[in-house]
Amino acid sequence: MNEAEKIIAREYLEIKSKFPDEGRRKWKLRSVDEFWKSAGAPSSKNPAEGAEAPWKSDADPFDLVDEDESGLVGLRGIVVRTDYSDPAAWGKFKEVLEQSEKEGFEELRAQVGDEDVQSGASGEAEDVEMKATPEDEEDSEDEPESIFHIIDMPPDQQGVLENASNLTLLRLFCDVVVIPEWKPVRKDDDGLFSSTKTKEKNTPWSKNRLAGLNGWKEGYEGRIIWVYDAQSNRDGSLRLIDGGLNGTSRSSTGDSWRVKGSRIWELQVNMDAGALRVDFGGEDGWTYEERRRNYEHVEAWLT
């Protein structure tokens, strides 16, 4: 653990005892919130002793389980539905995803052979409702596993995720961490990044815990999240959320980019393997509206 995480670990142990009915993610979010309230000021509490993080062995209501080991990905991605206004469009997207999974797996099998592909994309992705309850699986045991969990809430619970922001989804399905702030390397103000530096000073997010504050930055680790939203109904694209762990000085945790639904299988495989990182080189390819929503929600997560 870094120095920030050691302070957070001390808070975590106290908060866990105060809110025993909550789960790991909310306990740590509360702890990180306390850290940010005092970030930059001397702490009255000593860092937790020991190298083992106290949250490592705790469970969370939104934990997802990959029942079978996948030969293609270390962790399945999450496709989460946040718009319920067009069931026909959602059904069409699932057909596109199903087809891309089949084609992707067949192409891989043709390249490396059946024995080297232990499991991969199925003809139908696994649907997951609240608390990761899967629908009845229709695939036979001989068919490859999906590389996605699909989160499609039942009608009486759709309000939980409807129009959810990127930050909300990261906090539900991934685990918050605090890492050292990214520091850009610039030789002088007249160099390659001079105009960007001026722009950063004038943006409302130039000093924020999601972009970097007092030497630290809030990020989220875990599964890759793909978001089906209102725009997805129109063009079939999804939001790909950045957890903020591998960005640049110009990126911000929770940024997102639009990706065609037919491409997410290929991207999931390559991103999970570390062979690809989608960040547009740190340029302003992220969606402005989503970053704005993240910054509005960053300190209102308990409400």
Side-chain angles (χ1 to χ4, degrees):
M1 294 189 293
N2 60 42
E3 291 304 310
E5 293 270 293
K6 290 178 181 178
I7 297 296
I8 292 165
R10 177 71 72 186
E11 297 284 355
Y12 183 91
L13 295 172
E14 295 184 9
I15 286 173
K16 180 179 176 180
S17 65
K18 292 179 182 178
F19 303 94
D21 295 330
E22 296 179 349
R24 178 188 71 251
R25 292 192 177 97
K26 203 163 187 180
W27 289 331
K28 195 174 182 188
L29 278 169
R30 290 183 183 276
S31 306
V32 168
D33 204 44
E34 291 299 317
F35 168 80
W36 286 119
K37 288 177 182 179
S38 61
S43 175
S44 61
K45 298 180 180 180
N46 295 322
E49 297 179 0
E52 185 67 22
W55 45 80
K56 289 293 186 182
S57 59
D58 289 335
D60 189 87
F62 281 87
D63 280 341
L64 297 170
V65 178
D66 296 346
E67 294 181 354
D68 297 312
E69 293 293 331
S70 172
L72 292 182
V73 294
L75 284 176
R76 295 187 190 184
I78 297 176
V79 175
V80 55
R81 185 183 182 189
T82 65
D83 183 273
Y84 306 91
S85 62
D86 194 337
W90 169 248
K92 182 177 180 180
F93 158 73
K94 291 184 69 175
E95 291 176 359
V96 170
L97 179 59
E98 173 185 339
Q99 185 62 30
S100 68
E101 287 196 285
K102 284 183 177 179
E103 292 175 356
F105 177 73
E106 289 299 327
E107 182 178 348
L108 253 176
R109 188 165 58 183
Q111 292 175 357
V112 302
D114 290 334
E115 294 182 359
D116 293 327
V117 181
Q118 299 300 322
S119 61
S122 69
E124 183 170 343
E126 176 188 9
D127 283 355
V128 180
E129 297 181 355
M130 180 169 260
K131 296 186 179 179
T133 302
E135 292 183 354
D136 294 334
E137 296 184 6
E138 299 178 2
D139 300 325
S140 69
E141 293 183 357
D142 295 331
E143 291 181 330
E145 291 291 325
S146 173
I147 62 171
F148 296 104
H149 291 282
I150 294 185
I151 311 296
D152 185 9
M153 305 298 276
D156 62 336
Q157 298 177 0
Q158 289 176 354
V160 175
L161 296 178
E162 188 169 13
N163 195 34
S165 69
N166 292 341
L167 187 60
T168 295
L169 296 172
L170 285 172
R171 288 174 167 178
L172 282 174
F173 298 109
C174 296
D175 289 88
V176 64
V177 295
V178 175
I179 61 175
E181 178 182 356
W182 298 108
K183 294 293 185 182
V185 178
R186 300 188 177 101
K187 295 182 179 179
D188 55 65
D189 289 348
D190 296 324
L192 177 63
F193 297 105
S194 58
S195 60
T196 302
K197 184 175 182 180
T198 302
K199 179 181 178 181
E200 286 177 342
K201 285 183 178 180
N202 296 327
T203 58
W205 41 72
S206 58
K207 289 296 180 181
N208 187 287
R209 59 204 253 185
L210 298 180
L213 183 64
N214 297 329
W216 299 101
K217 178 183 178 182
E218 184 174 307
Y220 291 81
E221 60 184 6
R223 300 177 187 273
I224 299 171
I225 301 178
W226 310 85
V227 187
Y228 185 98
D229 57 14
Q231 184 173 333
S232 307
N233 292 328
R234 300 189 295 271
D235 61 17
S237 69
L238 282 77
R239 302 198 313 260
L240 168 60
I241 303 179
D242 177 17
L245 302 183
N246 299 299
T248 69
S249 62
R250 285 166 284 175
S251 67
S252 179
T253 297
D255 282 350
S256 62
W257 304 274
R258 306 298 307 192
V259 180
K260 291 182 179 179
S262 59
R263 293 202 59 204
I264 71 172
W265 187 90
E266 174 190 2
L267 292 174
Q268 175 72 35
V269 171
N270 285 284
M271 291 173 66
D272 179 84
L276 178 67
R277 191 178 77 202
V278 181
D279 65 0
F280 289 83
E283 301 297 336
D284 296 346
W286 38 265
T287 305
Y288 176 88
E289 175 63 19
E290 294 305 327
R291 182 181 280 197
R292 183 189 63 79
R293 286 211 294 162
N294 291 337
Y295 280 67
E296 288 177 350
H297 296 171
V298 68
E299 294 181 356
W301 64 274
L302 282 174
T303 61

